[in-house]
Amino acid sequence: MFPSQGPPDQGGGDLEARLRGLILSNANTTPPGTGLPAPSAPPTQLQSITPSKQQENPAAAVQGGDLEQSSFASRKRPNQAQRRQMNSQLSIPIDTRPIPGAQAGRGSFGQQGHSPWGPSSYQGQFHNHQNQRYQNQQHSPRFQNPGSGSPYSPRTPFPQVSPQSPMHNHQSGPSSQFQPRHHNQFQQQQQQQQQQPGPFARPPAQNRQLYQPGPNQGQGRGRMFPQNGEEIAIQSAHLENLVQERVPIMGIDSVEEAEKEEFRAVVEKVCQAAIAQYEKEDLGNDKFDTSTVELQCFGSLKSGFATKASDMDLALLTPKSNPAPDCPESPIPRLLERKLLDLGYGARLLTRTRVPIIKLCQKPTEKLLSDLLEERAKWESGFVAEPEGDEEIHDSETPDETKERPEMQSTGNQASSTTSATEVVHPKSRRESSDQKQIAFRQKNEQSLGDYYNSAKRLLKKLGGRDLTSTSPDLSEEEGRVLNSVCKAFISGLSSEALSTRLCKYNSIAPLFDPSLPPVQRTLQGIWNQVEGERLAMAWESRPLTESDDKQEYECLTIVEAWRTLQDKHGPLTESSIYNRQLYTASEKLKKISSLQLLFLEQIQYEDPVFYHGRALKIINDLKTRDQPNSGDYVTPIIIAHYVAGVSNNSIREILQNSPHAGATLQQIALHHRALQLAIDYEHALKSSYFEDCDRGIVEEYVSLLRSRNFYRQNVPTESEINFVAKIRTLPDPTQVSPNKPRDRYKDHLEFPKTDIGIQCDINFSAHLAIHNTQLLRCYSHSDPRVKAMILFIKHWSKVRGINTPYRGTLSSYGYVLMVLHYLVNVAQPFVCPNLQAVNHNPPAYLPPAEVEARTICKGRDVRFWRNEAEIKNLSERKMLNHNHDSVGVLLRGFFEYFAQNGQMSTVGNKGFDWGREVLSLRTVGGIVTKQEKGWTGAKTVIETSTIAAPPTPSTVPEARSKPEASPGEQAEEVKTPKLPVKTMEETKEIRHRYLFAIEDPFELDHNVARTVTHNGIVSIRDEFRRAWRIIRSIGKPYEGQEGRLLDPVTSRDDNKSGLQELLTMIHGAAPKSKAAYQEIQT
């Protein structure tokens, strides 16, 4: 069937025949370690069996003789089970194409000692790392060098072209594994592979399919699909032009760098003087060496990735101070803040960050400096403000993100700055037993239920307790008692006594008030859901309107009855999280009942009248009877009455109630509501000096026009009114400072402006790891000139698109730096940068032991990496670190494609990033670990309590002793102030760790660099990557430019005023379109 053209040992026979012989000879082989008989020898080995071995193993001799004397056609065909077993064990590659590594000039297997710069031990480390992604990769089309590769080039695990290889004289044709070879040569090579597995050895044959890649080939994650090369070239050229146009003007220049260095030197002298004075006068350390105090620069300015007008990151190092300045009880941060304020600088100490930092500006405005001094005076007087809501998280371009603020658990309803509920707590201490605590907690008449719930959460925190969630650890016995006490007070303090009495009768709540019943562990979140739902269910009988038809009415009644059954659940509630989900689901169904929505129709705090009108309009449409077209005649007046009664502003509500709106539509009422709110916004803007003095008269006149206008009849605007309104359209938008807008929790009067205050910097008191991290990034910037260009471009793109602000729920600039490096190290093919934490990372042996330790461990973290900048730059200039010759445009295109979709990529043999399952890990071989492996599968709230330096009080400040008057001829003795211990206090931080987007820090492996990214933040980030990828793919197409340009700002001034212009059109009609009319208005 398959005739042989000659004996196998003589090189005869075709490929298929030889494969059949190998398959048949290995039909009875078994994987090693299974305890089964060892595999039989291949046909080429049977000729070497000696007579003695034939006597010991006659079966082998007979089999070998038969194989030599018979043809392939006479052999028995293996059955299906044998073929499956052979396929799982066969490891002979059948791809006859030349090995990609050999084509690309990636070096040879036998030439490991030819590196001109160092020992071959570095090569083994590096190749073992890089083989995982690049064994089957596509190589740069621009690379034409057929010579030997650099010592950092990834090599395939199969032997490549070398003088010692059988393929040395072959330029094309099938792989050497299929060429006839002598049986001794085959046996010798097989023994070498078994004895020397190494990083370049062939993967083991067991448990592998014929077409299945080996274990070193898993990172490719898919095959490449053909793409239009011309389109890719056009898109890459466009991005290349953008880089050449923008990057030169984005980076920091030498003049600005020199100015910042000069300011750093000045601040360093101030810090040295202040710390020396504290050490010598307060601590009595007369031998303190001032020169040991340093203010080192780190972060983007030091790593080479700084942009113009970026903040400067400074690390305060004073190793001789005890306690160290990064210790919570150290007074050094407060001393420096006081000293810098006295010198006229703008300084603000932030203690609720990951580590304390001082925000510093060179030339603060008079108001800013006054506010900072006032805040400092409050602290010195003992006033410490309690944070509310989400803590501020300052943007960070530093590697360790020390400027991130710890976050409080966010709430759905923004509360006011003062607590609306009455809280009276009389514990002797926070750890006192909850049985001795007396809690009086009442809801005010006009306080919303959401605000009341927020007040209960703050009270629970003050009592040292916490709520129980699905991701939080189990409660202690004391925490459980505190939580139940607050839940009980929450129900007792409701403003509606009927609601409170009704709830206490249910079996799920009664044990909180009756100790004789079996105890239950409730959660504050569950109690809040229960109160919300019961309030709706109680109003079922008092609805002014029923549902639109009988079927809908019956379905809603079923929902109400199911809620009451769930409320009266019997037995102990051991699974609070499950019961909470049931309560939440049932209460959400109640909230969707239109007739109940009408009964509780109220304008939420800070809700825009447009959205309030939209909710009322939906209720009208849902309650109109479908079979009676005229049912709106009696439905609309009822809904209008509830709409007016639910307006939050008292003055607007009174005007609407007293206006002649008989027979009016809901749209007319809503327009009147919006006009009155606009008048209030203009009045507030006038008080805030929002307009120029020359425009105040026009604004006041327009406010009078809005309040006197009749919105319930047809108004025909006169020519003078049209011209007057056209002038109003040119003024700034007053809704930007409207009192009806929620307070921006990320901004306060102490926030530094972006410009006009000179150089800004951040003094960090615990930056030891950050300094190592900065040096790592600096070495990456030296490894290839394209690294800096790509990072500057991505930082600029993320800034103009508004997704690089961590305190607003997006990602810091440092996070984008790690994303770019991940792509260049692990995804680009061939790689652009070697993994510096996997290559030559051990410190040189000639260094002193102390230096070796400093380069190995820092604060318990492994900080080893290849940090020889001179060597990296030298190899980079000689183009010996990589074989990737792609342009920056090609790399940028691949970067956006990688993060925009998780399917197969078009230019590399890889799939896109899986945001939901994967973690970016720059230190890891391959660059990816899973969230499951890290345990980063759900958000966690961590409560940290630390001891900090307390503000000085009169009791701790020694009274100044007057010096006794010296008699003539005598010298007065100097009276020294006695040394007092540092007063401390406890500070509690509630930190929210999110893992919606996960980036592992290169050194702090338990720190997620992207922990600040919220749900809205990751939606914005992914949307921007998808938008960028759509724009890139549209380049050169007919629909190019429909979504704008890649670097268009995310917002513009016209967008902010679009809502105001639309409202003015609804009130007064369209604006004049002629240019002459506008010129006449301006004159």
Side-chain angles (χ1 to χ4, degrees):
M1 179 184 246
F2 300 99
S4 174
Q5 297 179 2
D9 57 338
Q10 297 177 9
D14 58 8
L15 174 63
E16 201 170 37
R18 289 193 298 276
L19 279 177
R20 174 55 63 93
L22 290 173
I23 290 173
L24 292 176
S25 64
N26 288 279
N28 297 322
T29 58
T30 56
T34 60
L36 299 176
S40 58
T44 53
Q45 292 179 319
L46 294 177
Q47 298 177 3
S48 61
I49 297 178
T50 62
S52 60
K53 291 183 180 180
Q54 292 179 8
Q55 294 177 1
E56 296 174 0
N57 190 5
V62 173
Q63 183 181 7
D66 292 342
L67 287 173
E68 291 179 3
Q69 297 174 6
S70 62
S71 64
F72 289 105
S74 62
R75 291 170 183 166
K76 182 178 179 181
R77 180 180 178 85
N79 58 29
Q80 186 176 10
Q82 291 173 327
R83 291 198 301 272
R84 287 178 178 174
Q85 183 182 13
M86 288 185 291
N87 284 341
S88 65
Q89 299 169 9
L90 187 61
S91 62
I92 299 177
I94 65 172
D95 192 350
T96 59
R97 294 173 298 177
I99 299 174
Q103 281 186 335
R106 306 292 289 274
S108 61
F109 176 68
Q111 295 178 346
Q112 297 185 9
H114 294 254
S115 172
W117 60 269
S120 60
S121 60
Y122 302 145
Q123 303 172 9
Q125 299 171 3
F126 182 70
H127 296 150
N128 191 28
H129 151 64
Q130 295 289 351
N131 280 340
Q132 295 200 15
R133 272 194 182 264
Y134 303 115
Q135 182 171 341
N136 283 341
Q137 68 184 356
Q138 297 294 322
H139 300 283
S140 171
R142 296 166 179 76
F143 181 71
Q144 302 295 336
N145 181 18
S148 61
S150 75
Y152 291 96
S153 302
R155 299 185 176 94
T156 64
F158 302 106
Q160 298 184 12
V161 180
S162 67
Q164 295 83 9
S165 171
M167 287 285 294
H168 178 55
N169 296 323
H170 291 267
Q171 300 299 326
S172 62
S175 176
S176 61
Q177 288 92 339
F178 298 99
Q179 297 300 324
R181 63 186 75 178
H182 194 269
H183 66 273
N184 291 332
Q185 181 183 358
F186 184 95
Q187 186 176 17
Q188 182 180 3
Q189 182 180 356
Q190 190 178 43
Q191 293 175 356
Q192 290 177 355
Q193 291 179 358
Q194 293 176 356
Q195 295 174 1
Q196 301 178 359
F200 305 102
R202 183 188 301 278
Q206 66 254 19
N207 301 325
R208 288 192 55 207
Q209 299 295 333
L210 187 63
Y211 300 97
Q212 178 182 346
N216 291 340
Q217 297 169 294
Q219 294 295 336
R221 300 194 297 179
R223 62 185 180 86
M224 291 176 54
F225 292 92
Q227 297 291 327
N228 189 327
E230 185 178 354
E231 291 182 0
I232 294 177
I234 294 174
Q235 296 163 7
S236 302
H238 177 80
L239 292 174
E240 181 76 16
N241 292 335
L242 278 180
V243 171
Q244 295 177 358
E245 175 186 347
R246 299 297 181 95
V247 168
I249 62 177
M250 288 188 297
I252 188 172
D253 54 30
S254 58
V255 176
E256 182 180 354
E257 193 171 355
E259 292 176 354
K260 291 184 175 181
E261 172 59 25
E262 183 180 357
F263 182 64
R264 185 207 63 81
V266 172
V267 177
E268 183 181 52
K269 292 181 179 179
V270 173
C271 294
Q272 289 175 342
I275 294 176
Q277 181 181 2
Y278 164 72
E279 291 283 345
K280 295 178 180 179
E281 297 182 4
D282 294 359
L283 301 183
N285 187 6
D286 297 333
K287 297 182 180 179
F288 181 78
D289 187 2
T290 307
S291 62
T292 59
V293 179
E294 296 181 73
L295 202 61
Q296 289 189 10
C297 180
F298 71 100
S300 60
L301 189 63
K302 193 70 173 177
S303 64
F305 303 139
T307 57
K308 287 186 176 180
S310 60
D311 294 351
M312 181 168 53
D313 299 303
L314 303 175
L316 180 68
L317 304 178
T318 169
K320 301 298 183 181
S321 297
N322 188 18
D326 58 340
C327 292
E329 63 271 14
S330 174
I332 290 179
R334 288 291 179 183
L335 293 174
L336 294 183
E337 180 192 41
R338 175 81 264 178
K339 185 68 174 179
L340 292 169
L341 285 172
D342 292 342
L343 294 176
Y345 297 119
R348 181 189 183 188
L349 176 63
L350 303 177
T351 60
R352 300 185 66 84
T353 50
R354 273 188 90 216
V355 294
I357 62 171
I358 290 181
K359 300 283 293 182
L360 181 66
C361 65
Q362 184 183 24
K363 302 174 182 177
T365 62
E366 293 184 6
K367 184 178 185 307
L368 177 60
L369 182 59
S370 175
D371 291 341
L372 292 172
L373 290 171
E374 181 181 356
E375 189 73 13
R376 170 72 189 198
K378 287 181 180 180
W379 181 84
E380 290 178 348
S381 64
F383 174 77
V384 180
E386 284 288 334
E388 296 185 11
D390 282 5
E391 290 290 338
E392 184 180 1
I393 306 175
H394 289 269
D395 189 11
S396 173
E397 293 189 8
T398 59
D400 63 345
E401 287 193 298
T402 54
K403 287 170 274 188
E404 297 176 6
R405 294 294 297 262
E407 298 175 84
M408 304 290 291
Q409 188 174 358
S410 60
T411 60
N413 196 354
Q414 292 295 324
S416 58
S417 58
T418 59
T419 303
S420 302
T422 304
E423 305 173 11
V424 182
V425 185
H426 304 286
K428 292 183 179 180
S429 68
R430 294 185 59 181
R431 303 187 181 275
E432 184 181 4
S433 174
S434 61
D435 296 337
Q436 303 176 3
K437 294 179 181 178
Q438 299 177 357
I439 304 174
F441 191 61
R442 295 291 301 175
Q443 178 187 12
K444 292 188 176 181
N445 292 331
E446 298 182 357
Q447 185 181 12
S448 66
L449 190 59
D451 197 1
Y452 180 55
Y453 169 63
N454 292 335
S455 301
K457 290 201 301 183
R458 290 193 292 270
L459 174 62
L460 179 63
K461 181 182 176 182
K462 287 181 180 179
L463 296 176
R466 60 185 176 88
D467 203 5
L468 183 63
T469 63
S470 58
T471 58
S472 63
D474 294 337
L475 298 175
S476 64
E477 184 177 355
E478 174 64 19
E479 289 175 333
R481 284 197 296 264
V482 172
L483 179 55
N484 277 349
S485 298
V486 174
C487 291
K488 177 181 176 181
F490 183 81
I491 297 173
S492 302
L494 290 170
S495 58
S496 174
E497 294 184 6
L499 178 59
S500 177
T501 304
R502 181 84 168 262
L503 287 168
C504 293
K505 295 180 180 179
Y506 286 116
N507 292 328
S508 58
I509 294 180
L512 296 176
F513 296 87
D514 190 353
S516 62
L517 296 176
V520 296
Q521 180 60 68
R522 298 304 310 276
T523 66
L524 191 57
Q525 175 75 29
I527 293 294
W528 180 47
N529 290 331
Q530 211 160 347
V531 171
E532 274 193 317
E534 186 60 25
R535 184 182 63 153
L536 294 171
M538 285 180 60
W540 176 258
E541 304 298 338
S542 59
R543 296 172 297 156
L545 293 173
T546 60
E547 296 300 313
S548 59
D549 52 39
D550 294 340
K551 179 183 176 182
Q552 189 71 19
E553 180 77 6
Y554 176 76
E555 292 177 353
C556 294
L557 178 61
T558 304
I559 294 174
V560 174
E561 293 297 333
W563 166 263
R564 290 171 179 169
T565 303
L566 181 63
Q567 287 275 82
D568 211 16
K569 186 175 181 180
H570 293 273
L573 304 176
T574 56
E575 296 291 343
S576 297
S577 59
I578 297 178
Y579 188 58
N580 286 349
R581 287 195 295 269
Q582 295 173 348
L583 289 172
Y584 173 78
T585 303
S587 64
E588 288 299 313
K589 291 180 180 179
L590 289 173
K591 292 176 184 178
K592 295 178 181 179
I593 300 178
S594 301
S595 56
L596 293 179
Q597 291 177 359
L598 172 62
L599 197 60
F600 294 97
L601 181 61
E602 293 178 351
Q603 186 180 10
I604 305 172
Q605 187 181 20
Y606 305 126
E607 184 180 19
D608 192 278
V610 176
F611 300 105
Y612 183 50
H613 171 230
R615 290 198 292 127
L617 190 61
K618 183 179 182 300
I619 295 175
I620 285 184
N621 296 331
D622 291 342
L623 293 181
K624 283 182 179 180
T625 305
R626 299 180 179 88
D627 299 334
Q628 301 179 8
N630 297 328
S631 61
D633 296 342
Y634 66 88
V635 172
T636 301
I638 296 176
I639 294 181
I640 288 178
H642 282 81
Y643 178 93
V644 174
V647 173
S648 59
N649 188 281
N650 294 331
S651 61
I652 295 178
R653 184 172 61 251
E654 292 178 0
I655 294 175
L656 292 177
Q657 289 174 343
N658 298 328
S659 61
H661 57 266
T665 63
L666 180 62
Q667 184 176 1
Q668 291 175 326
I669 296 292
L671 183 60
H672 193 186
H673 182 191
R674 294 180 64 182
L676 293 175
Q677 181 64 54
L678 182 61
I680 293 177
D681 292 344
Y682 272 111
E683 291 173 343
H684 182 266
L686 287 173
K687 294 178 181 178
S688 305
S689 301
Y690 187 67
F691 299 106
E692 300 290 340
D693 293 338
C694 58
D695 297 328
R696 294 183 64 88
I698 300 175
V699 174
E700 292 173 354
E701 183 179 352
Y702 183 65
V703 170
S704 301
L705 175 63
L706 288 176
R707 292 189 175 277
S708 61
R709 189 178 184 84
N710 189 345
F711 290 87
Y712 306 103
R713 62 179 177 83
Q714 188 70 23
N715 293 292
V716 180
T718 62
E719 184 178 355
S720 60
E721 181 181 343
I722 293 176
N723 295 335
F724 177 70
V725 173
K727 177 62 178 177
I728 292 295
R729 291 177 183 271
T730 62
L731 299 180
D733 185 1
T735 61
Q736 299 301 314
V737 293
S738 171
N740 194 45
K741 282 192 172 184
R743 177 181 61 88
D744 191 345
R745 60 188 177 185
Y746 306 116
K747 287 187 177 182
D748 57 18
H749 62 290
L750 299 177
E751 184 178 8
F752 289 5
K754 296 295 184 182
T755 56
D756 301 330
I757 57 173
I759 299 173
Q760 299 188 49
C761 62
D762 301 307
I763 301 178
N764 191 304
F765 296 95
S766 180
H768 304 85
L769 278 172
I771 293 175
H772 288 283
N773 217 324
T774 299
Q775 189 173 1
L776 173 65
L777 300 186
R778 183 178 178 86
C779 290
Y780 271 117
S781 69
H782 292 323
S783 64
D784 195 282
R786 293 167 292 182
V787 175
K788 182 175 181 180
M790 275 195 68
I791 288 178
L792 290 178
F793 184 87
I794 294 301
K795 287 177 66 173
H796 178 68
W797 168 77
S798 63
K799 182 178 181 179
V800 298
R801 297 306 301 173
I803 53 173
N804 72 330
T805 312
Y807 65 84
R808 293 188 180 275
T810 54
L811 187 63
S812 66
S813 297
Y814 174 54
Y816 288 104
V817 172
L818 294 181
M819 291 174 71
V820 174
L821 291 178
H822 164 75
Y823 180 82
L824 298 179
V825 172
N826 301 295
V827 182
Q829 299 178 1
F831 64 87
V832 177
C833 307
N835 191 327
L836 300 183
Q837 291 179 271
V839 181
N840 195 13
H841 61 281
N842 291 318
Y846 57 80
L847 293 176
E851 182 66 18
V852 171
E853 183 179 1
R855 295 189 178 192
T856 303
I857 299 294
C858 178
K859 292 191 173 183
R861 311 287 184 172
D862 185 357
V863 294
R864 293 176 299 166
F865 64 93
W866 187 16
R867 60 178 76 217
N868 191 329
E869 295 185 28
E871 189 175 40
I872 294 174
K873 291 175 67 175
N874 180 33
L875 292 172
S876 175
E877 292 172 356
R878 296 162 59 187
K879 302 187 183 303
M880 296 184 65
L881 284 182
N882 62 64
H883 288 309
N884 188 304
H885 291 196
D886 292 334
S887 66
V888 178
V890 173
L891 297 175
L892 274 175
R893 182 188 181 277
F895 173 81
F896 282 112
E897 182 183 12
Y898 178 71
F899 287 105
Q901 52 87 40
N902 58 2
Q904 187 64 43
M905 297 180 64
S906 59
T907 54
V908 296
N910 206 353
K911 287 186 177 180
F913 178 66
D914 190 339
W915 295 72
R917 296 181 178 87
E918 296 180 340
V919 180
L920 296 183
S921 177
L922 188 60
R923 63 160 184 110
T924 302
V925 174
I928 292 294
V929 294
T930 64
K931 292 182 179 180
Q932 193 72 27
E933 294 174 8
K934 297 284 295 182
W936 291 358
T937 54
K940 298 180 179 64
T941 300
V942 179
I943 299 177
E944 295 182 355
T945 302
S946 58
T947 302
I948 63 172
T953 58
S955 60
T956 61
V957 179
E959 297 182 359
R961 298 183 182 180
S962 59
K963 296 182 180 181
E965 296 182 1
S967 58
E970 295 182 358
Q971 186 176 2
E973 296 182 359
E974 181 181 358
V975 180
K976 293 186 177 181
T977 302
K979 177 183 176 182
L980 295 176
V982 177
K983 185 179 179 182
T984 60
M985 61 180 292
E986 282 191 353
E987 182 182 54
T988 302
K989 302 176 184 179
E990 189 173 344
I991 304 174
R992 185 72 167 171
H993 293 280
R994 302 183 184 92
Y995 304 108
L996 297 172
F997 183 24
I999 303 177
E1000 181 188 73
D1001 187 86
F1003 297 136
E1004 296 181 84
L1005 307 185
D1006 56 350
H1007 172 51
N1008 178 22
V1009 175
R1011 74 174 183 87
T1012 60
V1013 178
T1014 61
H1015 172 76
N1016 293 335
I1018 194 172
V1019 169
S1020 300
I1021 293 172
R1022 297 192 66 178
D1023 284 348
E1024 288 300 329
F1025 271 104
R1026 294 188 187 105
R1027 172 188 176 272
W1029 180 233
R1030 289 194 301 270
I1031 292 175
I1032 292 172
R1033 286 189 301 175
S1034 69
I1035 295 173
K1037 304 290 181 61
Y1039 51 87
E1040 179 182 356
Q1042 290 184 358
E1043 289 195 70
R1045 295 174 297 179
L1046 185 63
L1047 298 179
D1048 284 345
V1050 68
T1051 58
S1052 63
R1053 188 181 299 269
D1054 295 337
D1055 295 336
N1056 295 333
K1057 295 189 65 176
S1058 59
L1060 175 63
Q1061 300 297 332
E1062 180 183 356
L1063 178 58
L1064 293 177
T1065 300
M1066 295 175 63
I1067 298 174
H1068 306 285
K1073 298 182 180 180
S1074 64
K1075 186 175 180 181
Y1078 271 117
Q1079 292 177 351
E1080 182 180 354
I1081 293 169
Q1082 296 295 334
T1083 56

